[in-house]
Amino acid sequence: MPTLRFYNTLTNWKEDFHPLIPGEVRMYTCGPTVHDFAHIGNFRAYLFEDLLRRTLKYLGFRVIQVMNLTDVDDKTIRKSQAKSMTLRDYTAIYKEAFFQDLDALRIERAEVYPAATDHVPEMVELIRRLVEKGHTYEADGSIYFRISSFPEYGKLSNIRADELRAGVRVDADEYEKEDVRDFALWKAWTPEDGEVYWETALGKGRPGWHIECSAMAARYLGTHFDIHTGGVDNIFPHHENEIAQSVCGFGTKFANYWLHNAHLVVNGEKMSKSLGNFYTLRDVTSAGFSPRVVRYFLLSAHYRQPLNLVYDPRAGVTESLDAARSALGRLDEFRVKLTELGRRSAAGDLQSREVSDLLDKAEEALVAALANDLDVSGALGAVFTLVKEGNRLLASGEMTPTDAVAVNDKLQRWDRVLGVVEPEAETGVDAERIEALIRERNEARQAKNFARADEIRQQLLREGIVLQDSPTGTRWKKE
RNA sequence: GGCGGCGUAGCCAAGUGGCCUAAGGCGAAGGUCUGCAAAACCUUUAUUCACCGGUUCAAAUCCGGUCGCCGCCUCCA
């Protein structure tokens, strides 16, 4: 097995990975704030984390992943109030939608999805520890973390107090903070919070945003664990603050490796509602692209590289997703041929030397790429090199039925880490009727009645069914 | 202004000291095959890695500088 290496934001270096407990990886991944549908840029982050956990498992590690659900913050409170709903009812809608999207995108479930509102006692306990150790101060009933009490503050992001851009707004209602980087651990209740509050030892109020991750990570992973991930935008202040809270509160180290994914950009611009280039998974699937195509696209570039989605459906521009769909189509065609040939294999048949060498080399290339800081482009390169070589052997007749089974098995095995090989289940298609029409067409072709044959081809084409004749029979697929 | 990332073919995108006269995908051109149509296969599509210096026997890869792009700088993955 090649050495597994990750780029660690903490050290700005690609490092060899060594988990705290051999063979086991504990990771915390920042999850969604459930006040709206997640957009496909958000899913790039969750897909990166999915690739990370699948890669670790593929390489033989046991993985314990925790992803938080942030179901209380200013925005969420405001939006639920606007709908006259309780916080719980309101966030339930988006929690459900989030899990539907995860399933559609074939994102493996984490081991635990703790919701912030279910862990207030743990947060209160951590804040209490921070108060005891003198890392906090109180102002108007709210409790703030005092940055100056933690000399290591800024190590992750390399941001120093004197480097913060001068003149940038300091929220008017936070004038009482001693340092602009100080942040709220506990927010005292205000009338705008309405029904949203907890009566605790700290008073009536609600937790600050950062504290949930420190508290829930400790609860499910321990205070010192292996990997923490999130989008680059979280480096400062969120992750910096998590480190401060956890290290000061628990007195242990926090995460050993920090991995951050770059953003998805759309036509070279940041995705935002105001620019009108803001897309949810629902938007893209209703434009005719399957979640599998979206998964392939979002996964295809290295996670630390900004990924550009060339997409403007109103102008008919769908380049990126078209390319992804074509590439998957090529893979699907290959697998159909392998399956057809594989059916003729018999027990005791030998695999050819050439194919087994090809598979060994491909496996080596795939694993080496993934172990190198999740170089998924390199891994897909290995997949398509196998497709290309395999097609060559198929065309020249050098591939035996047993070889075909072996190649197909290999692709299926790889799908455990890639999650893009299996085609989407066809829905709304009457396969028996189509096959009956294909039989009729082939009889017509035998009888040289090509007019009838073409008629059937056209009829099916109107339904979006494409026929492909081959020496071994006629295949069909939905376009 | 500070911090971080990045600039590789028409487009997307790997490769971070020698196997690179640079993977893979999309697109394009020619050919083989084919009742039609497609797929597949073969060939072609970067002697070059933003630019300029330097280190080295050897650089897309390391160092310095220049130009350009993106992100973060208080709650956005």
Side-chain angles (χ1 to χ4, degrees), chain A residues 112 127 194 223 273 290 295 311 382 390 410 463 469 472:
Chain A
V112 193
I127 295 169
T223 57
K273 281 194 169 145
S290 71
R295 178 183 173 95
Y311 188 69
K410 174 64 78 181
E463 300 172 26
D469 298 321
T472 53

Side-chain angles (χ1 to χ4, degrees), chain A residues 126-266:
Chain A
L126 175 54
I127 295 169
R128 204 188 50 71
R129 282 165 173 267
L130 290 167
V131 171
E132 245 170 42
K133 295 184 177 183
H135 290 287
T136 65
Y137 59 91
E138 199 178 315
D140 294 337
S142 291
I143 300 173
Y144 293 92
F145 186 95
R146 180 182 281 119
I147 294 304
S148 59
S149 75
F150 183 49
E152 280 177 47
Y153 191 86
K155 199 179 164 201
L156 182 71
S157 58
N158 294 312
I159 287 177
R160 300 202 317 262
D162 53 9
E163 284 167 350
L164 284 178
R165 189 163 52 179
V168 166
R169 97 240 86 73
V170 177
D171 286 350
D173 63 353
E174 291 184 330
Y175 64 90
E176 68 275 15
K177 291 199 297 188
E178 293 176 358
D179 182 309
V180 284
R181 296 170 307 161
D182 288 349
F183 56 94
L185 295 166
W186 185 259
K187 294 183 165 187
W189 180 83
T190 62
E192 297 85 69
D193 292 342
E195 300 299 306
V196 180
Y197 62 83
W198 283 262
E199 291 279 8
T200 73
L202 303 172
K204 178 178 177 177
R206 60 188 166 96
W209 174 47
H210 310 292
I211 196 73
E212 64 176 70
C213 290
S214 288
M216 299 193 298
R219 161 81 189 270
Y220 296 102
L221 298 173
T223 57
H224 183 199
F225 54 93
D226 300 300
I227 301 178
H228 196 309
T229 73
V232 285
D233 52 289
N234 279 147
I235 297 172
F236 183 86
H238 182 52
H239 290 162
E240 200 70 77
N241 293 350
E242 277 185 52
I243 293 172
Q245 292 164 343
S246 292
V247 172
C248 293
F250 298 121
T252 58
K253 287 174 124 180
F254 191 42
N256 283 156
Y257 300 86
W258 288 84
L259 275 55
H260 292 97
N261 63 281
H263 284 175
L264 174 74
V265 294
V266 182

Side-chain angles (χ1 to χ4, degrees), chain A residues 77-90:
Chain A
I77 293 171
R78 229 184 307 126
K79 286 184 161 185
S80 67
Q81 287 168 343
K83 296 253 174 172
S84 302
M85 294 174 80
T86 65
L87 194 65
R88 187 162 284 273
D89 287 347
Y90 181 77

Side-chain angles (χ1 to χ4, degrees), chain A residues 269-291:
Chain A
E269 295 175 303
K270 183 173 177 169
M271 178 155 56
S272 75
K273 281 194 169 145
S274 57
L275 286 170
N277 61 4
F278 184 95
Y279 304 106
T280 64
L281 182 61
R282 286 162 175 73
D283 294 334
V284 178
T285 51
S286 60
F289 294 96
S290 71

Side-chain angles (χ1 to χ4, degrees), chain A residues 291-350:
Chain A
R292 177 183 177 225
V293 167
V294 177
R295 178 183 173 95
Y296 181 89
F297 170 71
L298 290 175
L299 209 57
S300 62
H302 186 87
Y303 74 93
R304 280 189 293 113
Q305 199 75 16
L307 173 62
N308 187 23
L309 172 67
V310 180
Y311 188 69
D312 184 358
R314 282 164 306 182
V317 177
T318 53
E319 245 175 76
S320 297
L321 297 176
D322 287 339
R325 181 151 64 189
S326 297
L328 287 174
R330 182 170 151 80
L331 180 60
D332 291 345
E333 291 292 342
F334 179 55
R335 294 198 66 222
V336 167
K337 288 184 197 170
L338 290 174
T339 303
E340 281 177 359
L341 180 59
R343 282 202 197 100
R344 305 210 304 266
S345 74
D349 285 354
L350 289 176

